[in-house]
Structure formats: structure tokens, C-alpha cells
Amino acid sequence: MSDIEGLTPRGFCNYLKMLGRTRAFFVWDGISGQIRSSHPQLAPFARTLLASSRDFDEHEAIFLEVSPRTGVLMGAFVHRTCRGQGAGGIRYFPYDSLGAYLVDGLRLAQGMTLKNALAGLWWGGAKGVISGDLGVSQLSHETRRKIFEDYGAFLSGLSGCYVAAEDVGTTEQDMAAVFARTRFTTCIPVEFGGSGNPSFPTARGVVRGMEAALAHQNQGTLRGKKVAIQGLGHVGQALIRLLHQRGVSEVVASDLDPKRANRVRQQFPELRLTFRQAEREWDPLLEEPADILSLNAVGGMLNEANIARIRAPIVCGAANNQLADPEVDDQFLHNRQILYVPDFVVNRMGIVCCADEANGMLVDDPNIERHLGEAWDMAIYPLILRILQQAEAKTTTPHRIALGLARERSRELHPLMGHRGYQLVQGLVTQGWADATVF
Ligand code: NAI
């Protein structure tokens, strides 16, 4: 690990300022097989990145900038843009170290490449990550607005190689602040012509994934089933609404915040709902006997130790990157005969709605509904069925089948634009993007 990686994100911003800079980039050079850094002082760090093969997957670029008005670290992680501009949400989180910040950005951007490719979107994969000193709920209204407006200006500076959306830690108001400074964002509020909060469509996609998994196991429909739901946030609550409509017999839910369960109880007084208090270190929900376990909180929840305690035969939820170690944890689940429905297939609906924003608004939009039906072979339900069948036939895991398919598709070139995203990245390098000082 290089010394820089051990810095806090704030420490890295100070380091950049000490170099007389407010911007930095790391750009992949496919010809030399090296990562090019914007400033010579960052070259050792580029080598460390290259060596971390678990997280670095020839990402086309990482752009970093210090927010001029708040001093927080803003980043754009562009993974692969063969299918079009890199697209994905902006995450706000107070990271402890630059290393943790980068790992999250690298992994989340890869996840977006896979998700967008399997959803058939002509978009590549990218992710925005902002690291602040405070949790998002502790920020004053004014600071929050400045952070996201600065992020919008940062996006404009990136010339469109990354198109943003909402993610954990960001709200529609934040997206409105981003939109005030750039056209390179989606998920903006309805009153600005956007599609608004994507959580309900996301939950609809997760339900289709659950239905496909049950059908694959000859377990019928959701009616009468018991579902364990981790996370009672936007997606978790929407999921409960949909599951209730489909006649599940019982929901057991967990969250760090017990107030969320009260809110759900008020909304669905007739639903049989049990609440389990989750702690950051351990969530008793994972060992709940249920027909389906659905993770809708944060990523990295599944690891060898807690997979051994899961008592549900199906795992299907919206959280991104649920496997703490994607290279082995799917196998642990498989060994325990737990059917894991790959997150990046079922949680696509948020980005699907965002991708559709620029095409105008229709009620029951066929561009969106086709992902939730069964007629299109890449819709969630038939695709999950196919992935599960192939995994069984090839005695491998559904995660690996989905990964293979998504990687292949992610290399297809945009039919009109070709690999323009990469040209945009190269343009920034040659124009000296990182040498400009932003105040
Ligand atoms: P949210 O922030 O509204 O809700 C997350 C909930 O999880 C909160 O209630 C939080 O208290 C709880 N939580 C956090 N850590 C926990 C833990 N260790 N144990 C139990 N509960 C915990 O987020 P949202 O929008 O509902 O998204 C949920 C997940 O789905 C996230 O991982 C997100 O990346 C993913 N996702 C969401 C999409 C969307 O449309 N909102 C689209 C695609 C993925």
C-alpha cells in the first residue's frame, strides 16, 4: 500500500493542495498496460492501483477533484464505456481512508458496467463517489447544496464521460442541485422533467427476480411465503408494499433504525411484520428461517462466516455488490444450496428509468415495462430463469453465468457513437484537465 492510500480523503485533498493542485486523474493506457497519473508525485499510487487486481479491472479513468466550496473529495470512476457514456449513481459517504474510498468507487463502477450491459442500455459503467467529513444526515442544508452543486460543476468539467444518477446518500433535492450546474445527470426531480426517485421501479425488478427464483425451484408464487428483508429504506419499503399486494404471509424486517419499522407498521397495519434490530457488526435477520432473504441495505453483506448461518433457500435483493468477496462467496452460497440471484440483474430498474428520462415521459412506458414483463428475452424474469438454468446445467453459480454474459455484452460498441467515452477521457487528458485549478 502506498503512503497516499493510507491518507484520509480529507488528507488526500490537503496533499493535492500542497502540490498546488485541486484535480488529479488516473487513466488506463491499454497499449502500455499502465495507469497514467496526472501528476508525477502520484505515480507510485498508480502502480499500487494496478497491483490491486481484485478491484482494478482496467478502469478507463478515475477523476478526482476537491470541492471548491466545501473541501470534500469528489470522484468519478469510469469503468468501461464501450456501450456509451459511463452511467451510475453518486454515492455520498464519510470514508475513513482514501483506500476504502477507492475500493468502493472501483467496485461500484464495475457493477454499473455489468448492470447497464445486461439491461441492454447503450451506456457504459461509472460511479460518482463523494467523501465528506460528516454523515449525510449531519450536513446543514446549505453545505449539502454546495457539495452537490460543486459536484454538478465537476461533471460539466468531465465533458460527459460520466452521466450521474441518484444513489445511497443522495436525494432528489441533491440531484436538483447537481442539475443546476450540469446537463450530465439523470434522476432529477419530476418538476424538472426527470423520473424522480427510482426506488419503486427498483423494488418491482427485485420482485420479478424473486418470482423467477421461486419458479425455478418449483415453489409457486409469492403468495403465502415468508420474506426476510434487510433495510427498510426507499427500496425496502417499496418492496414491502409490493409483497403485501402479492399476498406474502409474513415479513420479517431489520434495520439499524427501529423507527423505520414503525413507519411500515403504520402504512400496512394488516401485514404480519416482525422487526429485528440490526447492528453494524451483526444482523440477526440473516439467520431468520424464511423462503427468501432480501438484502436492501448496503453492499458487502455476505461473507463466508455469515453465509454459513443463512436459513433461507433464496437470496434476492437490491443492494449493490452483496458478495463481500465476489470471487468466492457465490461458491459458498452454492455449496450450501442457497440460490443467489445476482444483484446486478434484479436491481437494474433505477438506472433503466434514468436512462429513459431523455426520451420523454409516457404513462406505463413500454421502454420500462418491457424489463418487467416476459416477452423480451433480456427482461429480468426470463433472464434470471435462463441464468439459473444455465448455472444448473454447467454446475456453476448463477453469479458466474451472469458475470460472463454481462462482461461479453459490456464490450459491444455503441452502434452510433462507438467508443466515444474513451475519446472523451483522452480529450480531458490532452486538454490538461488536471492542471486547471478550481476555486
Ligand atoms: P436507503 O438509504 O433509502 O435505505 C437503506 C436502509 O438500510 C436504511 O434504512 C438504513 O438504515 C438501512 N441499513 C443500513 N445499514 C444497515 C445494516 N447494516 N443492517 C440493516 N439495515 C441497514 O437506500 P435504498 O435506496 O433503499 O437502497 C437500498 C440498497 O439498494 C442500496 O444498497 C442501494 O445501492 C441499492 N439500490 C438502490 C436503488 C434504488 O433505486 N434506490 C437502485 C439500485 C440499487
Side-chain angles (χ1 to χ4, degrees):
M1 188 187 270
S2 73
D3 294 344
I4 298 172
E5 202 175 347
L7 290 173
T8 61
R10 173 69 72 172
F12 178 71
C13 291
N14 292 339
Y15 176 72
L16 272 187
K17 283 187 186 158
M18 199 186 78
L19 299 178
R21 308 288 184 180
T22 54
R23 286 175 166 177
F25 65 65
F26 300 95
V27 170
W28 172 244
D29 179 346
I31 295 167
S32 67
Q34 299 296 317
I35 299 175
R36 204 168 145 189
S37 54
S38 50
H39 313 303
Q41 295 87 342
L42 299 178
F45 183 55
R47 286 193 287 275
T48 312
L49 260 181
L50 192 60
S52 62
S53 59
R54 246 177 78 137
D55 306 310
F56 184 78
D57 176 40
E58 301 181 5
H59 286 66
E60 289 176 9
I62 303 171
F63 294 102
L64 302 170
E65 183 174 308
V66 184
S67 152
R69 290 184 296 168
T70 67
V72 303
L73 180 61
M74 308 185 292
F77 294 72
V78 181
H79 177 229
R80 187 171 296 148
T81 60
C82 302
R83 294 184 69 91
Q85 292 158 283
I90 307 170
R91 179 159 297 198
Y92 177 97
F93 190 78
Y95 292 87
D96 293 338
S97 69
L98 186 67
Y101 171 86
L102 290 165
V103 165
D104 223 18
L106 292 169
R107 286 191 187 182
L108 289 164
Q110 281 190 62
M112 289 313 302
T113 296
L114 303 174
K115 190 186 310 194
N116 293 344
L118 274 191
L121 302 177
W122 287 112
W123 261 357
K127 200 86 182 182
V129 190
I130 305 175
S131 181
D133 303 324
L134 298 172
V136 74
S137 57
Q138 296 161 291
L139 294 172
S140 72
H141 178 74
E142 194 52 21
T143 307
R144 194 164 174 157
R145 188 177 55 76
K146 284 181 184 162
I147 288 174
F148 287 96
E149 282 179 0
D150 280 2
Y151 198 87
F154 168 59
L155 283 170
S156 291
L158 294 180
S159 303
C161 66
Y162 167 44
V163 179
E166 191 178 332
D167 192 60
V168 172
T170 43
T171 61
E172 274 183 67
Q173 286 67 40
D174 298 330
M175 298 317 294
V178 171
F179 184 56
R181 301 289 299 275
T182 190
R183 64 176 300 152
F184 298 122
T185 191
T186 59
C187 270
I188 51 179
V190 174
E191 58 270 30
F192 295 164
S195 57
N197 189 309
S199 304
F200 193 72
T202 298
R204 287 181 70 196
V206 173
V207 166
R208 294 288 17 224
M210 290 177 175
E211 289 171 335
L214 287 170
H216 178 76
Q217 294 198 329
N218 294 319
Q219 294 297 316
T221 66
L222 281 161
R223 181 161 294 279
K225 299 291 187 298
K226 175 177 172 184
V227 184
I229 299 183
Q230 183 186 58
L232 287 174
H234 292 105
V235 177
Q237 291 186 35
L239 201 50
I240 289 180
R241 177 178 297 280
L242 291 164
L243 293 175
H244 186 44
Q245 284 166 2
R246 280 170 169 69
V248 296
S249 63
E250 188 180 354
V251 169
V252 184
S254 71
D255 202 290
L256 298 173
D257 176 3
K259 288 196 288 294
R260 304 227 166 188
N262 297 336
R263 216 169 298 155
V264 175
R265 277 204 189 90
Q266 280 161 11
Q267 281 181 63
F268 309 103
E270 65 285 20
L271 176 72
R272 192 163 157 215
L273 173 79
T274 313
F275 180 71
R276 305 260 183 264
Q277 176 65 52
E279 305 295 335
R280 277 194 200 285
E281 304 70 39
W282 171 243
D283 183 354
L285 189 90
L286 294 179
E287 51 188 12
E288 188 72 35
D291 294 297
I292 301 173
L293 171 65
S294 184
L295 303 178
N296 303 284
V298 288
M301 269 294 158
L302 299 172
N303 56 46
E304 183 178 4
N306 62 33
I307 287 169
R309 297 168 73 165
I310 291 177
R311 291 166 71 190
I314 294 171
V315 175
C316 176
N320 285 310
N321 300 344
Q322 291 170 34
L323 306 175
D325 184 344
E327 290 185 10
V328 292
D329 291 332
D330 62 326
Q331 194 59 51
F332 292 134
L333 285 156
H334 191 67
N335 295 347
R336 288 214 51 229
Q337 297 184 327
I338 297 170
L339 198 159
Y340 172 66
V341 182
D343 48 34
F344 57 86
V345 188
V346 294
N347 70 7
R348 67 164 71 158
M349 290 311 294
I351 200 75
V352 164
C353 292
C354 295
D356 199 43
E357 274 181 5
N359 299 315
M361 300 292 157
L362 280 175
V363 177
D364 299 330
D365 193 334
N367 272 5
I368 292 172
E369 294 303 316
R370 71 182 189 139
H371 291 264
L372 299 161
E374 290 169 37
W376 180 40
D377 65 341
M378 294 307 283
I380 295 173
Y381 184 90
L383 180 59
I384 293 289
L385 274 185
R386 216 161 54 246
I387 288 169
L388 297 180
Q389 281 156 6
Q390 283 185 23
E392 208 165 73
K394 295 185 178 167
T395 59
T396 183
T397 72
H399 179 72
R400 280 165 213 216
I401 295 287
L403 214 51
L405 195 58
R407 284 188 176 143
E408 194 184 312
R409 291 198 153 226
S410 75
R411 291 196 164 83
E412 288 170 354
L413 284 180
H414 189 292
L416 298 177
M417 298 292 171
H419 203 168
R420 184 177 163 89
Y422 191 66
Q423 290 170 357
L424 295 171
V425 167
Q426 293 307 316
L428 293 169
V429 172
T430 50
Q431 287 153 27
W433 175 87
D435 299 326
T437 306
V438 190
F439 292 108

